[in-house]
Amino acid sequence: MNSKIEVAIVTGAGQGIGLATVNRLLEDGFHVVMVDRQAEPLATAAAGLKAAGGSVEHHALSITDRAAVAALVAGLPRLDVVVNNAAVFWDGKFDTTSEDDFRKMYDVNVIGTFIVMQEAIKRMSRGGRIINVASRAYLAGYAHAAYGTSKAGVIGLTRSSAIDLAERGILVNAVAPGLIETEMFRSLTPERQQELIAKQPTKALGQPEDIANGIAFFANPRTQNVTGQIMTLDGGRSMGISLY
Ligand SMILES: NC(=O)c1ccc[n+]([C@@H]2O[C@H](COP(=O)([O-])OP(=O)(O)OC[C@H]3O[C@@H](n4cnc5c(N)ncnc54)[C@H](O)[C@@H]3O)[C@@H](O)[C@H]2O)c1
């Protein structure tokens, strides 16, 4: 690999928004390091991209495994961009959410993101760009006590780390997707899917490519002087209309 080519890690890269982001960063000229804990879909996606001439490599690991993340980062020739996209999601009313489920979601969505960020910055001696994938759900949402709290955690992590890392030339921003047509959305019942679409000002679902486009803005080396910001890509749902 040409040492002048910028390297980007994308977590949760095997499907959905992560895979769309990989495609977009390849178009934008990055070498992309694909990470996912599901080995098989990840390998299949990476093989398809390689066959089409994409500059990718793939690593099956969990973002909660600090040793595995550290080994991956240490083995890269350089690191310029990290997209923290991997997350877990399930609906659950506050009164029936177990402490165990609450901890499990927090462990991946917040602590996993924290681990990847902390290991990644060790290789960002020349500066870098970190993009965390939050969710509009950080504002509030029906049956989102655990998920919304975890994504509010991602926002807090983004904004506070942006302050601490600014003097090292590392920009930290987030995107907050609304309803996006992926497996995560399809895991909801058809009735709940229709109910949620009806609440969108646009009456439409977003596509993974819409989120990849926002991520690509923050990942672009020409995007400077912007840090600690949240780009909400949600069909207008966050403008103060009913959130549940
Ligand atoms: N789809 C939506 O409507 C929507 C809305 C708002 C925010 N988001 C956020 O966008 C991101 C991507 O969502 P998606 O819909 O593409 O999800 P998805 O479930 O389709 O894909 C998530 C990927 O992350 C991987 N992953 C999960 N836990 C992991 C771990 N511990 N280590 C490594 N990989 C792991 C999964 O294997 C999967 O491939 C997530 O952060 C999600 O919370 C999605």
Side-chain angles (χ1 to χ4, degrees):
M1 191 184 59
N2 180 335
S3 63
K4 287 191 179 144
I5 291 179
E6 290 209 341
V7 173
I9 293 178
V10 179
T11 69
Q15 63 184 40
I17 292 169
L19 184 54
T21 301
V22 173
N23 273 294
R24 175 57 191 264
L25 295 184
L26 287 173
E27 278 173 34
D28 290 355
F30 290 90
H31 171 74
V32 184
V33 179
M34 301 170 68
V35 170
D36 204 293
R37 71 174 169 190
Q38 295 191 75
E40 211 184 303
L42 176 69
T44 306
L49 291 168
K50 268 187 202 157
S55 179
V56 295
E57 60 186 79
H58 65 286
H59 301 265
L61 59 85
S62 172
I63 57 168
T64 58
D65 181 347
R66 186 181 279 272
V69 173
L72 164 67
V73 168
L76 297 175
R78 59 182 285 172
L79 183 57
D80 302 281
V81 168
V82 173
V83 181
N84 280 304
N85 166 78
V88 291
F89 164 81
W90 52 84
D91 255 352
K93 290 282 294 292
F94 174 76
D95 47 1
T96 53
T97 294
S98 71
E99 185 179 325
D100 190 43
D101 272 355
F102 195 90
R103 285 185 194 279
K104 273 186 192 147
M105 197 173 283
Y106 202 83
D107 190 41
V108 177
N109 296 5
V110 183
I111 300 177
T113 300
F114 166 75
I115 287 172
V116 176
M117 288 176 70
Q118 243 184 11
E119 292 304 322
I121 62 168
K122 293 178 184 167
R123 295 299 309 282
M124 290 181 163
S125 52
R126 292 176 295 195
R129 281 96 62 204
I130 296 173
I131 302 99
N132 294 331
V133 180
S135 168
R136 181 209 53 79
Y138 86 92
L139 292 168
Y142 174 82
H144 271 7
Y147 183 67
T149 302
S150 75
K151 291 301 187 175
V154 170
I155 300 285
L157 187 58
T158 301
R159 289 169 58 85
S160 293
S161 64
I163 295 172
D164 292 352
L165 297 174
E167 62 192 14
R168 292 174 54 172
I170 300 173
L171 306 176
V172 190
N173 292 289
V175 293
L179 295 180
I180 308 300
E181 193 167 8
T182 68
E183 289 308 317
M184 196 172 268
F185 179 77
R186 287 189 279 268
S187 71
L188 299 168
T189 63
E191 295 73 30
R192 181 89 175 113
Q193 291 183 18
Q194 287 314 313
E195 190 189 334
L196 288 170
I197 291 169
K199 290 186 169 134
Q200 296 275 98
T202 55
K203 306 291 178 222
L205 276 175
Q207 295 303 312
E209 292 73 20
D210 300 330
I211 308 308
N213 194 41
I215 292 170
F217 168 75
F218 287 130
N220 195 300
R222 285 176 295 181
T223 302
Q224 292 297 325
N225 201 35
V226 53
T227 197
Q229 302 306 305
I230 316 302
M231 186 192 288
T232 305
L233 299 151
D234 72 341
R237 178 104 182 272
S238 55
M239 287 189 296
I241 61 161
S242 172
L243 288 170
Y244 53 87

